[in-house]
Amino acid sequence: MKYIIRKISTLILTLFIVSIFTFTAFQVIPGDSVLSTLGMDASPEAIQALRQERGLDENLALRYGRWLGNVLQGDFGQSTQYNMEVGALVSSRLTVTVWLALQSIILIIAISIPLGILSAMKEGGIIDRMLSLLTQTMMAIPPFFLGMILTLIFGICLKWFVPGNYVSFSENKGKFFAYLIYPAIAMAIPKIAMTVKFLRSSIRRQMHLEYVRTARSKGNSKRDILVKHVLKNALIPVITFLGMIIADVLAGSIIVEQVFNLPGLGRLLVVAISSRDYAVVQAVVLYIATIVVVINLFVDVLYRIIDPRISKEGGAE
């Protein structure tokens, strides 16, 4: 219990630090959201009036305190670009990003773990060499480029989907998930390659340890040793690695959503930055940071459950 409390405390502190950097960064960078709203030809009186309305004439610490207090109550302010509540705007885009990330994660786990195990079992064989070559190649290709290739092959050549013809979840659930599968694949392929490589290395390290040699001396087959002994130990570091991969998937969705014209958080963030809609930018960054740290908390707790030897400091007890 103390371990979980410690992790939750770290999570809260992390989000507090992120909130400070997020709010401060967009207050000191060049540019003026007031001028973006009113235009360069606005009168000084109109500019000053809008600054006062938005509280921009107050000092930074006071503005941050008011903003944080509102955020804790679920109020992220008003979007200057979309003229609506930021919380409602972000929530409306969250569905796309969450389902996109979830589909990618399912693909990563469902494909990488069997391939990693297969590669380790066929160490040195033709399957292992082919998988090694394939994973090295896929790791080098960025998701946005894969998205362009998938659009060219499946959208333009094979016409399996219409590029840019996004269908919302409320309009047609089947078409919604069918369209998301292509950006999900684009995001998943490099991560699958990384996970296969990591899992293969983890299994191979375990296969050369003393307990494996002891199991072999007792007449256990390589398959039995792998399933009954090696796999559990090899998967422990992979769980932590997958936590990093999941966080990376969320970050990668920003670019992939642009390629496939998806109205998710990534695309919203890009539009908000270009229009200097800082309330939206701050909310999106905070949302993504919250999801990432919560995932990391879940991974840490799961790691602890699988291997109780992990101490409060992260070492072996």
Side-chain angles (χ1 to χ4, degrees):
M1 182 59 68
K2 290 183 179 179
Y3 177 82
I4 296 177
I5 293 175
R6 182 186 180 93
K7 287 296 181 180
I8 293 176
S9 300
T10 303
L11 180 150
I12 294 172
L13 178 60
T14 301
L15 289 179
F16 176 67
I17 294 173
V18 168
S19 72
I20 293 175
F21 279 107
T22 301
F23 184 85
T24 305
F26 293 105
Q27 302 300 317
V28 300
I29 61 175
D32 193 328
S33 61
V34 172
L35 290 179
S36 297
T37 302
L38 298 178
M40 299 300 294
D41 297 329
S43 66
E45 293 79 11
I47 293 175
Q48 183 60 29
L50 188 56
R51 286 188 187 280
Q52 291 179 350
E53 180 183 336
R54 295 181 179 178
L56 297 177
D57 56 336
E58 300 172 345
N59 67 70
L60 185 61
L62 185 60
R63 279 185 281 148
Y64 170 74
R66 181 181 293 108
W67 174 78
L68 182 61
N70 290 334
V71 166
L72 292 176
Q73 299 177 54
D75 180 9
F76 290 91
Q78 187 82 6
S79 167
T80 57
Q81 174 71 15
Y82 296 92
N83 195 28
M84 62 181 296
E85 291 292 329
V86 173
L89 177 62
V90 172
S91 297
S92 67
R93 303 298 185 93
L94 192 61
T95 301
V96 176
T97 300
V98 168
W99 279 116
L100 174 59
L102 188 58
Q103 283 190 258
S104 299
I105 293 163
I106 291 173
L107 289 172
I108 292 168
I109 294 174
I111 297 174
S112 62
I113 292 180
L115 286 182
I117 295 172
L118 177 63
S119 180
M121 290 181 65
K122 304 294 183 180
E123 182 177 358
I126 186 170
I127 294 178
D128 182 33
R129 292 197 295 270
M130 289 177 61
L131 284 174
S132 296
L133 177 62
L134 188 61
T135 54
Q136 291 286 3
T137 303
M138 292 299 99
M139 285 170 58
I141 304 177
F144 77 89
F145 186 67
L146 280 172
M148 294 167 63
I149 293 175
L150 291 175
T151 300
L152 176 63
I153 295 174
F154 297 102
I156 297 176
C157 297
L158 298 179
K159 301 187 184 303
W160 287 8
F161 73 100
V162 179
N165 190 23
Y166 165 78
V167 179
S168 68
F169 182 83
S170 58
E171 184 179 348
N172 190 306
K173 295 180 178 61
K175 291 183 178 180
F176 171 78
F177 288 115
Y179 190 83
L180 285 188
I181 191 63
Y182 299 99
I185 291 172
M187 291 171 58
I189 286 178
K191 307 302 182 291
I192 289 171
M194 295 168 62
T195 308
V196 168
K197 185 177 179 65
F198 190 87
L199 178 57
R200 181 178 61 223
S201 300
S202 181
I203 291 175
R204 287 180 178 178
R205 283 194 299 269
Q206 293 293 324
M207 292 296 287
H208 292 90
L209 295 180
E210 185 64 32
Y211 77 91
V212 174
R213 288 192 287 269
T214 302
R216 282 175 181 164
S217 67
K218 294 180 179 180
N220 291 290
S221 66
K222 184 177 181 180
R223 181 184 180 86
D224 287 341
I225 294 172
L226 178 65
V227 174
K228 296 178 180 179
H229 303 285
V230 171
L231 198 54
K232 178 182 177 180
N233 293 325
L235 283 175
I236 292 175
V238 173
I239 290 173
T240 301
F241 183 73
L242 282 173
M244 298 169 57
I245 290 293
I246 292 170
D248 198 26
V249 164
L250 288 169
S253 67
I254 294 175
I255 299 176
V256 173
E257 286 175 4
Q258 294 293 308
V259 175
F260 287 90
N261 193 35
L262 295 173
L265 287 183
R267 189 176 173 196
L268 177 64
L269 180 62
V270 172
V271 173
I273 292 174
S274 62
S275 62
R276 302 191 184 282
D277 194 349
Y278 296 143
V280 174
V281 176
Q282 291 160 357
V284 172
V285 171
L286 204 55
Y287 264 71
I288 294 175
T290 301
I291 294 172
V292 170
V293 296
V294 168
I295 289 172
N296 287 332
L297 173 65
F298 175 77
V299 169
D300 287 341
V301 173
L302 184 60
Y303 199 116
R304 170 84 172 185
I305 292 172
I306 294 175
D307 189 355
R309 296 172 300 172
I310 305 301
S311 68
K312 297 175 185 177
E313 292 75 27
E317 289 181 339

